[in-house]
Amino acid sequence: MGLILNHHLVEPVARGLLGSISCSGGPTPEQQRLLQALLTHLWGRPDLRIAALEPMGPEELAAALGDPPTRRVAHLLQMTLEFCRHPQTDPQLALGQAYAEALGVSSAALEVSRDWLLQGVDQAAADVGRIFNAFLPLRSEPGLAEPLASADQPEPELVARIGGFAQLPEGSLGRALLGYYERFGFPLPGQEACALNHLYLAHDMTHVIAGIAATSAGEIALSAFQLAMDDNPINESALLASLVTHEAGFVSANPTLQPEEASLDSPSAAYLLASELRRGSACSADFSLADHLALAPLPLGEVRRRFNVSRPIHPSAVDHLFW
C-alpha cells in the first residue's frame, strides 16, 4: 500500500497539504508543482487541480482523517513540501508544526523543522547530523561483518570483493553495480578511506535495483521510494538526509557532499518524485535493507521481480538506469 490513499481520501489530503503551504504569500511555484504531481502521478487524480482546491486548515484536516496511517502519509508529504520553500520562512515552519500537532503525528523531519523555527538553522543542522549518525549503522550494508567503515584506512578486501563482480554473468546485479560506478565515476567503496563506505554500498545497490540514477533529484526520489516501500525510522532518516542535502540546502547530512538547494524545482523532478513514490508503494518488501552481496550473482531482472519493482512508466535517460 505504501503512500497510496483510498480514492475518497485524496481530495481532503490534497486540500490539507495545500493549506499547509498557504503562507508567506501563498505556495511557491515549486510547491504547487510538486503537489499537483502527487495528485496526478502518485494518486492518479489528474482531475483534481490545485488552482481549484480550497485549502483545508489543521483542525479540519484532522477531523477528515480519522485513521493514523492516513494522517502519517499527510504529515510526511507535508514535511517534504515544507522543505521545498525557498527561502524558508518562519510562518511556513510554524504552519508545519500546527498541522503536525492537529494530526497528532511526529517525525525526524518535524524535529528538525521545530528546532529550525525555535532555535535557528545551526540547531537544525546539528539535529540532522545527530540523526544521520544514529542511523548510519542501520543503513549500512548488512552483509558486511562491520557496519561502520574505517574513516582512516581503505578496505582493499572490500574493493576486491566488489571488483570480483566482473566475473559474474552479464545482466547480474553485481555486474550492474559495476556499470553504475562506471557511469557516474564513483570509486568503489573501500578504495578511499571513508566512514560511509558501507552505507555507500547498500545505497548504491538500492539505486541499481530501483533503477534510479544518482542525480540530485534522483537522490531525493530514491529516498522517497524507500520510504514508500516501508515507512520505518531508517528510511525516514534517509529521506530527511536527502531533503536537507539536496533540497533545503541549509546543511549536508553527508559531510562528503556540498548542500544544494531546490533540486526538485522542475517539472521533470516533480514527476520523478511522485512517480517513484508510486513505484515504491507497489514493492512487496524493502530491498534497501536486504543482503545485497548475497543477491549480487542473481540476474537484476530476477531481483526486481522478487521485490515487485516495476518498470518506470516513462523511463528517462537522465533519471533512470538499466531499463
Side-chain angles (χ1 to χ4, degrees):
M1 186 70 176
L3 301 184
I4 304 299
L5 297 174
N6 289 332
H7 187 81
H8 72 282
L9 292 173
V10 173
E11 184 169 349
V13 169
R15 290 179 58 201
L17 291 175
L18 181 60
S20 76
I21 54 177
S22 294
C23 63
S24 304
T28 67
E30 179 182 355
Q31 289 175 315
Q32 294 180 65
R33 190 186 302 116
L34 284 168
L35 181 50
Q36 188 62 61
L38 294 174
L39 281 168
T40 302
H41 304 296
L42 172 59
W43 295 319
R45 293 295 307 274
D47 56 302
L48 296 177
R49 307 304 298 177
I50 298 303
L53 292 179
E54 184 71 22
M56 186 180 286
E59 300 301 332
E60 187 182 0
L61 179 62
L65 306 181
D67 64 294
T70 304
R71 290 184 171 201
R72 173 78 174 166
V73 169
H75 170 68
L76 292 171
L77 294 176
Q78 187 279 317
M79 295 307 302
T80 300
L81 290 168
E82 178 178 310
F83 279 26
C84 293
R85 179 177 289 276
H86 309 289
Q88 188 57 265
T89 66
D90 285 353
Q92 174 67 92
L93 296 171
L95 201 53
Q97 303 299 312
Y99 274 82
E101 182 176 346
L103 293 173
V105 293
S106 187
S107 65
L110 181 67
E111 180 181 349
V112 171
S113 171
R114 181 189 63 239
D115 285 348
W116 194 352
L117 174 65
L118 299 178
Q119 301 184 55
V121 70
D122 289 344
Q123 183 57 52
D127 290 341
V128 169
R130 175 177 49 77
I131 294 168
F132 181 84
N133 289 327
F135 284 97
L136 175 58
L138 299 176
R139 293 180 58 199
S140 297
E141 178 57 43
L144 298 176
E146 295 293 337
L148 295 180
S150 171
D152 304 314
Q153 298 294 329
E155 297 181 73
E157 292 183 0
L158 179 59
V159 174
R161 189 171 183 181
I162 298 171
F165 292 163
Q167 306 305 314
L168 294 174
E170 185 72 31
S172 65
L173 171 60
R175 286 283 292 273
L177 179 70
L178 294 179
Y180 166 90
Y181 288 130
E182 181 177 359
R183 172 172 171 174
F184 293 105
F186 297 151
L188 300 187
Q191 282 185 325
E192 301 172 0
C194 180
L196 304 183
N197 276 328
H198 297 180
L199 178 147
Y200 287 152
L201 179 56
H203 178 76
D204 297 339
M205 283 285 201
T206 304
H207 266 291
V208 172
I209 298 171
I212 300 174
T215 61
S216 296
E219 293 294 351
I220 301 173
L222 181 70
S223 298
F225 185 110
Q226 292 176 228
L227 188 73
M229 286 195 292
D230 189 1
D231 176 9
N232 61 49
I234 301 171
N235 290 337
E236 182 188 324
S237 73
L239 179 57
L240 172 64
S242 291
L243 283 172
V244 299
T245 301
H246 299 290
E247 179 60 32
F250 65 86
V251 68
S252 176
N254 182 339
T256 68
L257 300 175
Q258 290 296 315
E260 303 173 280
E261 190 173 280
S263 295
L264 297 176
D265 191 12
S266 71
S268 62
Y271 168 75
L272 181 67
L273 178 65
S275 61
E276 296 306 336
L277 282 167
R278 186 170 186 88
R279 282 209 307 138
S281 295
C283 289
S284 57
D286 180 4
F287 58 79
S288 69
L289 302 177
D291 185 342
H292 304 105
L293 293 172
L295 295 173
L298 299 178
L300 176 57
E302 180 180 331
V303 176
R304 287 172 169 168
R305 285 190 294 273
R306 178 177 297 189
F307 294 98
N308 198 37
V309 182
S310 61
R311 178 183 177 86
I313 296 176
H314 302 295
S316 161
V318 174
D319 296 318
H320 295 102
L321 63 163
F322 308 131
W323 293 105

